[in-house]
Amino acid sequence: MVEAAVAAAVPGLPVDVAPLSGYQRWSAALLPRYGQLTHLIACERVGPGGDGRPRNMRGEDIGAHTAPLDRLYATGSAFRIGIGDGGNELGMGRLPAELVGRVVTAGERIRCVVGADALLVGGTSNWAAAALVGALALLRPDLPQLRTLLRPAWSYDLLAAIVRAGAVDGVRRRSTLSVDGLDWPVYAEPLTRVAELVDTGR
């Protein structure tokens, strides 16, 4: 799905795919390159809970389906940014377990224990990521392509591309043009607002 998204957004951009088998060799080979990075962003990337197991929002152990990228994320001196919405994502370790438990079903159980230097929490992770892009767009007016990423039409085209590739809405568990159970018009409202704020802030 990530490859399909990248192909639709930035054709030709290389994607490192973490394997479930042979992960140690894969990460060891990439570590020298990743170690030179100044910033790492983990968006909606599940991480280990208190028992060491990564869990989805339903509390299900999904370790058999996801590589332990938290090991690369927590290595080195890069400034780490975490983006999430459910408590089980990389970066959420910055929040107390009891806080996550108060606002998320089974939050203390699924909460990722890996922290971050900066944590962005949104109603959906995508909205928080859009806010980050909006801030960057204001800081870097010399990069007009950042504003393109804030246009709802851009997000719609990207969503349509990954749905065509077989993506499913994680809440509805079916292939539909929705995000976290939100139909497109509702989901697009915050994206539209972020784009408007950036446009008026120039």
Side-chain angles (χ1 to χ4, degrees):
M1 292 306 103
V2 173
E3 289 181 317
V6 170
V10 191
L13 185 72
V15 177
D16 293 323
V17 179
L20 292 175
S21 176
Y23 174 82
Q24 295 295 343
R25 291 190 304 275
W26 176 86
S27 61
L30 283 184
L31 198 55
R33 177 156 56 90
Y34 274 62
Q36 296 176 20
L37 298 177
T38 60
H39 292 72
L40 288 174
I41 301 174
C43 182
E44 189 63 22
R45 181 65 196 187
V46 68
D51 62 357
R53 305 302 302 166
R55 299 184 182 279
N56 63 17
M57 289 287 291
R58 295 176 177 84
E60 300 162 340
D61 183 343
I62 57 173
H65 310 289
T66 183
L69 288 179
D70 57 285
R71 299 174 191 172
L72 272 180
Y73 183 71
T75 301
S77 59
F79 186 88
R80 294 172 301 145
I81 299 172
I83 301 175
D85 57 23
N88 59 335
E89 303 94 347
L90 292 177
M92 290 292 184
R94 189 173 174 94
L95 299 177
E98 58 272 17
L99 173 61
V100 178
R102 284 202 305 268
V103 297
V104 176
T105 303
E108 291 193 42
R109 181 167 183 248
I110 69 171
R111 169 186 165 265
C112 175
V113 297
V114 178
D117 297 298
L119 175 63
L120 301 177
V121 180
T124 76
S125 296
N126 296 357
W127 293 341
L132 177 59
V133 173
L136 290 171
L138 289 173
L139 291 170
R140 294 296 304 270
D142 57 313
L143 297 174
Q145 60 268 41
L146 290 173
R147 292 174 184 251
T148 300
L149 303 180
L150 297 173
R151 303 293 172 230
W154 182 87
S155 290
Y156 183 88
D157 290 344
L158 198 62
L159 178 61
I162 63 172
V163 167
R164 284 194 301 272
V168 298
D169 182 310
V171 172
R172 295 177 174 173
R173 289 190 164 184
R174 55 190 171 89
S175 187
T176 177
L177 287 170
S178 60
V179 177
D180 287 349
L182 302 173
D183 289 324
W184 173 257
V186 176
Y187 170 72
E189 286 179 10
L191 301 179
T192 301
R193 182 61 178 143
V194 170
E196 289 172 349
L197 288 170
V198 171
D199 285 341
T200 58
R202 55 182 143 186

